Amino acid sequence: MKLVFESENMKKDTLMFIINPASGGYKESVWEELVVLMDKNDKEFSYYKTKCIGDATRKVQDFIKDGYRHFVGIGGDGTISEIANGFMMQNYVDYDELTLSAISSGTGNDWVRNYGQSSDLSVALMNILNAPVRTQDIGLIHYYENGEHRRKYFLNAAGFGFDSQIIKSTKQMTASQRGHKMTYLYTLLKCLLSSKKINFKITSEKVGFIINEKTLSISVGNGKYTGGGMIQTPDADNSDGFLDTAVYGDIKKFFVIKNVNRLYDGTIKEAKNTHIYHFRSKEVNIEAPVQTICEIDGELIGTGPYNIEIIKGALRVRM
C-alpha cells in the first residue's frame, strides 16, 4: 500500500477513498481488490472509513484543507452525497479544483447509473483514473430542523410523501436486507398500501401556482434515477441547469400498482392520468399544512416549508 505523502502538491494527485463500511452493498473484498489494483497501477492513494451519518461531509472538508483534491466514494448514494456536501460547504478552494468519483456499493446506487459505471472493478477504476472530467449540476434544498433553517445539497433527487416513506421504511431494515435487488420494489408496494395522501402546495418561479391538492408523491429530480432504478423524472438531465419535477397527485393506489413497471422503464409520463404532473424549472417551493419528511439521495432530512434550487455545473466528475 502506498504511503500518505506530506507534500500538498503530491496530495493533489493522490486519490482519497472515502469508504462507508455500513452501506447496504459494501464488501471488504471489494476494497481489498481495489488496493491490489491501485498498487498494480503504481498509484498513490489514501483512505478513510466513515464512522456515522454525516462523518464523510465533515472529514472531506478536513481532507480538502490538508491538500486532497480527488475523492472516490465507496458506498451508496448517501455516502456520495455526503462527499458532495463536503465539497460545497468548504471554503478552502474553488469547486473547480475538486473531483468526485465513486465505486458503487450501496442499496440504490442511483447516482452511478447516470454514468453507466462498469460492473468490472478494474474497468471502473481505470475510468476513475483516466476518463475525461465532466461537470454536473447540484440541487440545493432549504428546510427546517427543530425550527431552525438548514440547507443541504443533493445529486439525484428530493422526494416527498410516499417517496420519502419508502426511504424511511428501508432505513428500518438491516444492511443485508437493504442490499437485495428486490428491496425497493417490495418496500414500494408495502408503503403504498399504508401511505396517506397529503395536501401539498407546489409553486415555482415564473411558472407561478402549480398544484394544490392531495398528493401521493413528489420527486424533484436533478438526475433520472431514484429508489434503486426507478425513473420518476425521465427527462431529467443533471447538466442542463434545470430541475425536473414529477407530482403524483390524487391518484388511485391501484393505478400505481398497475403502472409500477413504468416507474422502472421510464415510460411513466405515457401513463394517462390527469393527476400526474411533470414540469421543468430552476426552483421549486413545497409546503404542506402538516409536518412532513423529505429524502434527498436516500437520506432523510427535516421539515418544510422547502425551497429547492439548482446550481449549474457545480460538480466535477470523473467516472
Side-chain angles (χ1 to χ4, degrees):
M1 183 182 296
K2 299 290 180 182
L3 295 175
V4 177
F5 292 91
E6 295 299 328
S7 166
E8 184 169 317
N9 288 331
M10 297 184 80
K11 284 181 179 178
K12 288 182 180 180
D13 298 321
T14 300
L15 292 190
M16 171 58 76
F17 289 91
I18 304 295
I19 305 165
N20 180 4
S23 61
Y26 177 75
K27 295 179 180 179
E28 187 67 20
S29 59
V30 172
W31 171 237
E32 292 170 352
E33 185 178 348
L34 274 170
V35 170
V36 172
L37 289 170
M38 289 293 290
D39 282 340
K40 183 178 179 180
N41 286 276
D42 197 32
K43 297 295 183 180
E44 293 89 12
F45 67 96
S46 188
Y47 71 95
Y48 175 78
K49 292 188 177 182
T50 60
K51 298 174 174 60
C52 60
I53 293 175
D55 192 25
T57 296
R58 294 186 290 269
K59 293 301 294 187
V60 161
Q61 294 177 76
D62 292 338
F63 291 138
I64 291 171
K65 186 178 181 180
D66 288 342
Y68 293 96
R69 298 294 180 263
H70 189 177
F71 293 80
V72 184
I74 301 180
D77 293 315
T79 304
I80 313 306
S81 186
E82 283 195 22
I83 296 172
N85 271 269
F87 283 14
M88 300 301 291
M89 292 178 180
Q90 59 82 35
N91 56 8
Y92 304 111
V93 299
D94 292 336
Y95 304 142
D96 59 9
E97 290 188 34
L98 305 171
T99 306
L100 178 62
S101 303
I103 298 291
S104 61
S105 66
T107 307
N109 302 318
D110 288 307
W111 184 69
V112 299
R113 294 176 197 273
N114 292 291
Y115 296 99
Q117 185 175 76
S118 174
S119 58
D120 185 314
L121 192 58
S122 61
V123 173
L125 180 60
M126 288 302 100
N127 286 335
I128 287 171
L129 294 173
N130 303 313
V133 173
R134 292 176 278 184
T135 60
Q136 77 155 72
D137 308 332
I138 284 185
L140 170 60
I141 182 167
H142 298 265
Y143 63 101
Y144 290 85
E145 194 169 283
N146 298 322
E148 295 187 4
H149 171 261
R150 295 283 188 269
R151 66 176 186 173
K152 273 194 175 181
Y153 300 86
F154 63 90
L155 299 175
N156 288 319
F160 306 83
F162 167 54
D163 199 59
S164 61
Q165 288 296 329
I166 294 175
I167 300 300
K168 184 177 180 179
S169 181
T170 303
K171 293 294 182 184
Q172 295 170 351
M173 298 178 180
T174 65
S176 60
Q177 288 174 323
R178 294 197 303 269
H180 291 295
K181 292 182 178 179
M182 295 300 293
T183 294
Y184 275 97
L185 181 57
Y186 165 77
T187 309
L188 183 154
L189 295 174
K190 185 182 73 171
C191 291
L192 181 64
L193 297 175
S194 61
S195 64
K196 295 182 180 180
K197 297 171 188 173
I198 298 173
N199 201 95
F200 281 103
K201 179 180 179 182
I202 305 123
T203 57
S204 180
E205 93 292 345
K206 294 184 180 179
V207 181
F209 170 78
I210 300 296
I211 185 175
N212 189 354
E213 68 173 53
K214 287 185 177 180
T215 300
L216 181 65
S217 180
I218 306 168
S219 181
V220 182
N222 180 36
K224 294 181 188 299
Y225 303 100
T226 60
M230 284 194 293
I231 309 175
Q232 298 188 69
T233 52
D235 294 333
D237 179 342
N238 65 14
S239 62
D240 67 357
F242 286 90
L243 296 164
D244 271 59
T245 300
V247 180
Y248 301 91
D250 197 9
I251 59 177
K252 303 295 183 182
K253 293 181 179 181
F254 177 73
F255 176 87
V256 177
I257 296 174
K258 181 181 177 182
N259 291 278
V260 70
N261 64 305
R262 291 184 179 274
L263 287 172
Y264 284 90
D265 65 17
T267 62
I268 189 63
K269 288 184 70 174
E270 299 172 16
K272 295 181 180 180
N273 191 299
T274 57
H275 294 286
I276 295 180
Y277 314 87
H278 287 84
F279 63 91
R280 285 160 46 84
S281 62
K282 294 184 178 181
E283 183 181 11
V284 180
N285 299 292
I286 298 174
E287 54 186 307
V290 296
Q291 191 174 81
T292 60
I293 58 173
C294 169
E295 66 89 7
I296 55 171
D297 295 338
E299 300 297 328
L300 297 173
I301 62 172
T303 62
Y306 306 93
N307 170 261
I308 309 169
E309 57 186 293
I310 194 75
I311 305 175
K312 184 171 174 55
L315 183 66
R316 297 171 76 242
V317 176
R318 177 171 281 162
M319 291 287 288

